[in-house]
Amino acid sequence: MQSRQKRSLTIPTVLLLGILFLISVPLLMKSTSLTLPSSLPQLNTIFLSILIEAIPFVLIGVLIAGFIQIFITEDHIRAWIPKNKFLAVVMSCVVGAAFPACECGIVPIVRRLIGKGVPLYAGVGFLLTGPLINPIVILSTYMAFGNDMEMALLRMGVGFVAALVIALIISILFKSNQLKKDKGISHSERKGNKKQPFVTRIREMLNHSIDEFFDMSKYLIAGAFVAAFLQTYVSTQSLLQLGNSQFQSAFVMMALAFVLSLCSEADAFIGASFKNVFPTTSILAFLVYGPMIDLKNMIMLLSVFKAKFVFVLFILITCIVFIFVNLSSLL
Amino acid sequence: MKFHFQHFLKALLLGMFTLFFANLHITGDITKYVNPKYDYMSKMAAIFFFVLLLIQVTRIWQEKHARHACSHKCNHDHGDSQWSLRRIVSYSIVAFPIVTGFMIPPATLDSSIAANKGFLLTQDSNEGRGGEERTSLLEGAKSLVEKENIDIYSSEHIPLPNENYLSEEEYDGKLQLLQKSESIHMTEDMFSTYYAEINDNPKSYIGKKIKMSGFVFKEEGLASNQLVISRFLITHCIADASIIGFLTEIKGADTIQEDTWVEIEGVIEVGNYNGSDLPLLKATSLNMVEEPSEPYIYPVLKLLGK
């Protein structure tokens, strides 16, 4: 009773604060825009362009997440996922490869799947191959490298094997689902939902999608802002001068992929532009690493999973991709 | 019935997102953020946001008890919980891009970004990231021309299988025109293609007249009579922009400020920069112009069917 009282008191206060915020920010922007450095509108434009590019994919992602929440039960999941760990990982990677997603849209989906009882390792397999291997990415890679299938095949092959290995190592290292505590409570109330009419369930699904969107978008926005900030103020040229040997340049390209946070559908063209600067191995590293993890994506993952897990996953992806990409040059 | 303030706030934000995306298309500002080829994605987003807004509006006033089927066990935020500083920050972050989006007009990328992207001329043989990308697409096109050389002239009599094929021919036709013509006009639609072709074989274009517009960009190591007339090439969104441009020589280049938009006419020569051949424009005239309404160059993705 007391807390209810408290809440009704705080709402007007917050309302006031919110209105103040909404009024003051534009005013502040307007009054200072005359003195702002010209780089700020540039930063803002890059920031918004990343968001405008990513938000449609996030919307698709949250709609699918909403669908999973309402229509897929834990029983379904139990029936679909093989008991055998290795088979489960293989299956998740194959499903991810067939599933056209981008790296920001897939995070809410994976979170919902794991919440529904999909084992962590299967979720990771899906998370890694979803954005990396899909028809649009293959097509753009094929085109960016002069209608040559070699790079597209290498990207898929190396990416798939790396994702398999990473997911398998995750299956050994982590036993629990690693979701953040407040988000990891399992659902057991689904049974009652089944009896509800279809229209109600569709509404439920959309309600979930809306809440999921607000949950996810703040991390996407933060990530996009950091990526835009780095693009505006940090010269990539200085980074490129570091890469002399094959190993160094592979690392440089991976760092670049991480920082730029490009959509996996557009990164092939950027990667291709380094053809004359760096060996194929380094470009492959760029193409495989970027869709698996980048700055924007990692901030979103941190919102879903425990920080320790995200950190281990980050290290694993970095090491495994580095090793496999360099091994591929021996082929 | 109870008024849910957080649901109201979410509805408000969804409404603002709908307006923001719709506004981008109404004003045409969308081209300043993403390649118009992909604008259907953001149109779709505007529609999605509108549908979600309609759903969300119905949640503002609800019966106290019928909030949500899983309100106590669900693992994400339904906006029913109490206010906290954390929550205020969350909503502020979501509101942030809408506020800056409406308040700060989209800027055109300028030479400071170009300098960060760097290596326009310092790269080995192929300068400009975009240049290479075009080159690679072009290679495919060239081989197609070779393969289907005979068909090109008789194509009028053959019913065309589909539109892509036609655009392929148009594209090849324009490319052939470039190779034959004595004066080249770098129009926006073919800019990247022509750029890559000239960049690739500068020697075969020596002596040809060229007309182009772009913004002035200067790299370290340029002589006082040199500048680069450049454009940004946008593959998908502004964040993946790469810079392409021709090294240009004109008297008094050092007096022209960076980021000035100019239109030049000149003659193509071959110069040497850091030990590699590259096209060099000897400008015969230079006029300051207004920044064009579409400052960016988008690659011709004819092979995608566009």
Side-chain angles (χ1 to χ4, degrees):
Chain A
M1 215 44 221
Q2 206 181 356
S3 72
R4 189 156 294 278
Q5 192 74 23
K6 233 182 186 171
R7 188 160 90 201
S8 58
L9 274 176
T10 47
I11 285 180
T13 329
V14 171
L15 181 69
L16 206 71
L17 275 175
I19 290 172
L20 269 178
F21 168 79
L22 285 177
I23 294 170
S24 66
V25 167
L27 279 180
L28 211 74
M29 292 277 176
K30 273 225 161 120
S31 62
T32 50
S33 65
L34 295 171
T35 52
L36 287 176
S38 68
S39 59
L40 212 65
Q42 305 263 321
L43 166 68
N44 184 52
T45 308
I46 296 175
F47 164 57
L48 289 175
S49 98
I50 297 177
L51 282 183
I52 292 168
E53 188 192 34
I55 278 180
F57 292 100
V58 174
L59 283 175
I60 296 171
V62 299
L63 284 176
I64 295 174
F67 177 84
I68 294 170
Q69 175 70 20
I70 302 300
F71 289 96
I72 310 253
T73 66
E74 287 166 27
D75 296 335
H76 289 146
I77 303 267
R78 233 171 280 137
W80 291 337
I81 303 259
K83 293 279 173 292
N84 180 305
K85 261 187 195 179
F86 182 74
L87 282 179
V89 166
V90 172
M91 192 188 107
S92 71
C93 287
V94 171
V95 171
F99 189 82
C102 86
E103 63 262 39
C104 20
I106 203 157
V107 177
I109 302 176
V110 168
R111 164 183 169 182
R112 201 47 63 206
L113 283 175
I114 294 180
K116 282 276 177 184
V118 170
L120 181 69
Y121 44 86
V124 168
F126 182 70
L127 176 78
L128 297 181
T129 53
L132 178 65
I133 307 172
N134 71 53
I136 307 164
V137 175
I138 295 166
L139 188 68
S140 73
T141 313
Y142 167 73
M143 283 172 48
F145 288 87
N147 297 341
D148 182 2
M149 213 50 208
E150 194 195 338
M151 190 52 108
L153 285 174
L154 268 175
R155 186 181 193 180
M156 284 190 289
V158 173
F160 191 83
V161 177
L164 266 183
V165 173
I166 294 164
L168 283 173
I169 297 177
I170 289 289
S171 77
I172 297 163
L173 291 181
F174 294 95
K175 299 292 170 212
S176 69
N177 69 12
Q178 296 301 312
L179 290 176
K180 277 194 174 174
K181 266 218 174 94
D182 52 328
K183 322 219 163 183
I185 309 154
S186 70
H187 289 253
S188 47
E189 78 289 341
R190 288 298 82 171
K191 282 169 202 156
N193 236 11
K194 269 193 170 172
K195 290 168 195 152
Q196 286 173 347
F198 185 71
V199 179
T200 319
R201 295 174 76 189
I202 289 281
R203 269 215 50 177
E204 286 279 287
M205 168 188 148
L206 291 173
N207 285 351
H208 269 285
S209 300
I210 292 168
D211 296 330
E212 192 92 51
F213 174 75
F214 280 91
D215 259 10
M216 276 289 124
S217 61
K218 51 182 185 267
Y219 297 99
L220 171 75
I221 291 165
F225 190 81
V226 177
F229 184 88
L230 290 173
Q231 272 212 26
T232 317
Y233 296 108
V234 178
S235 166
T236 51
Q237 204 170 8
S238 52
L239 191 67
L240 295 172
Q241 278 152 5
L242 298 171
N244 294 317
S245 73
Q246 181 188 317
F247 292 131
Q248 278 174 339
S249 62
F251 252 124
V252 165
M253 288 302 280
M254 281 160 71
L256 196 68
F258 185 79
V259 167
L260 288 180
S261 299
L262 296 171
C263 210
S264 55
E265 279 128 41
D267 63 354
F269 289 96
I270 299 299
S273 68
F274 290 93
K275 263 193 303 192
N276 290 6
V277 189
F278 287 137
T280 315
T281 330
S282 328
I283 293 169
L284 187 62
F286 177 85
L287 293 178
V288 174
Y289 189 67
M292 286 191 176
I293 196 146
D294 62 33
L295 193 60
K296 176 176 67 167
N297 190 22
M298 190 155 139
I299 291 176
M300 291 177 84
L301 286 177
L302 279 170
S303 75
V304 176
F305 294 105
K306 289 176 185 159
K308 190 186 143 208
F309 167 74
V310 178
F311 183 70
V312 171
L313 184 67
F314 169 69
I315 300 285
L316 257 180
I317 295 175
T318 310
C319 297
I320 300 289
V321 169
F322 184 76
I323 293 167
F324 277 79
V325 159
N326 281 301
L327 279 179
S328 79
S329 66
L330 302 174
L331 287 177
Chain B
M1 296 291 261
K2 185 178 182 297
F3 177 77
H4 290 262
F5 180 68
Q6 286 198 54
H7 281 318
F8 168 72
L9 203 59
K10 282 183 176 179
L12 190 71
L13 287 168
L14 285 173
M16 282 165 82
F17 269 113
T18 313
L19 278 179
F20 179 66
F21 274 86
N23 190 47
L24 283 176
H25 286 280
I26 293 164
T27 59
D29 275 352
I30 187 76
T31 60
K32 303 209 163 169
Y33 294 107
V34 294
N35 186 335
K37 280 196 189 83
Y38 303 100
D39 72 348
Y40 62 92
M41 287 303 293
S42 53
K43 274 184 192 151
M44 199 186 72
I47 295 166
F48 274 171
F49 273 126
F50 186 66
V51 172
L52 294 182
L53 169 68
L54 292 181
I55 297 288
Q56 183 63 23
V57 165
T58 66
R59 295 168 85 191
I60 300 175
W61 285 275
Q62 274 177 337
E63 302 285 338
K64 265 188 181 178
H65 304 290
R67 267 182 214 157
H68 201 289
C70 63
S71 54
H72 38 280
K73 275 186 181 170
C74 201
N75 59 3
H76 63 179
D77 178 20
H78 289 303
D80 300 325
S81 37
Q82 284 195 31
W83 279 96
S84 63
L85 184 67
R86 196 190 153 98
R87 188 143 304 180
I88 297 170
V89 170
S90 302
Y91 284 113
S92 309
I93 291 174
V94 178
F96 178 71
I98 311 174
V99 173
T100 66
F102 276 118
M103 284 303 138
I104 306 177
T108 308
L109 295 185
D110 66 17
S111 54
S112 66
I113 303 292
N116 278 348
K117 304 226 176 229
F119 53 55
L120 180 67
L121 301 171
T122 44
Q123 216 173 321
D124 295 324
S125 56
N126 244 321
E127 53 276 1
R129 307 158 165 212
E132 289 190 44
E133 153 189 333
R134 298 307 314 140
T135 311
S136 49
L137 279 183
L138 209 59
E139 276 163 10
K142 265 189 269 178
S143 63
L144 270 171
V145 176
E146 280 161 23
K147 274 184 221 155
E148 300 170 18
N149 214 3
I150 319 140
D151 285 19
I152 282 178
Y153 299 100
S154 57
S155 63
E156 291 162 23
H157 311 292
I158 309 167
L160 294 165
N162 59 41
E163 226 185 284
N164 302 347
Y165 200 71
L166 180 72
S167 68
E168 178 106 30
E169 301 232 321
E170 274 180 347
Y171 179 89
D172 293 340
K174 284 198 173 187
L175 203 62
Q176 289 202 329
L177 209 67
L178 169 75
Q179 285 154 356
K180 282 181 204 148
S181 63
E182 279 310 303
S183 67
I184 298 159
H185 187 199
M186 301 284 282
T187 52
E188 270 76 10
D189 55 339
M190 292 301 283
F191 194 100
S192 59
T193 310
Y194 287 179
Y195 172 80
E197 168 65 15
I198 296 169
N199 224 14
D200 231 22
N201 314 298
K203 289 202 172 98
S204 45
Y205 291 93
I206 291 177
K208 292 194 177 185
K209 282 185 191 151
I210 187 164
K211 184 179 168 188
M212 71 178 286
S213 58
F215 67 91
V216 173
F217 170 61
K218 291 175 183 174
E219 268 197 344
E220 272 180 46
L222 291 183
S224 67
N225 66 339
Q226 289 179 328
L227 48 81
V228 182
I229 311 274
S230 5
R231 299 296 281 262
F232 278 101
L233 182 76
I234 312 294
T235 306
H236 202 147
C237 77
I238 305 300
D240 62 44
S242 50
I243 183 159
I244 56 179
F246 285 125
L247 183 63
T248 306
E249 277 188 7
I250 187 160
K251 225 178 169 186
D254 49 345
T255 62
I256 303 168
Q257 294 256 310
E258 270 196 305
D259 295 324
T260 317
W261 279 83
V262 294
E263 187 181 71
I264 62 144
E265 284 179 55
V267 180
I268 300 174
E269 307 251 321
V270 172
N272 197 290
Y273 193 86
N274 288 349
S276 56
D277 283 347
L278 60 97
L280 173 73
L281 311 187
K282 299 264 188 194
T284 49
S285 77
L286 182 146
N287 294 309
M288 313 270 179
V289 290
E290 288 277 299
E291 183 187 309
S293 57
E294 283 194 15
Y296 302 121
I297 301 295
Y298 309 102
V300 190
L301 293 177
K302 65 180 174 76
L303 296 175
L304 250 183
K306 282 277 169 180

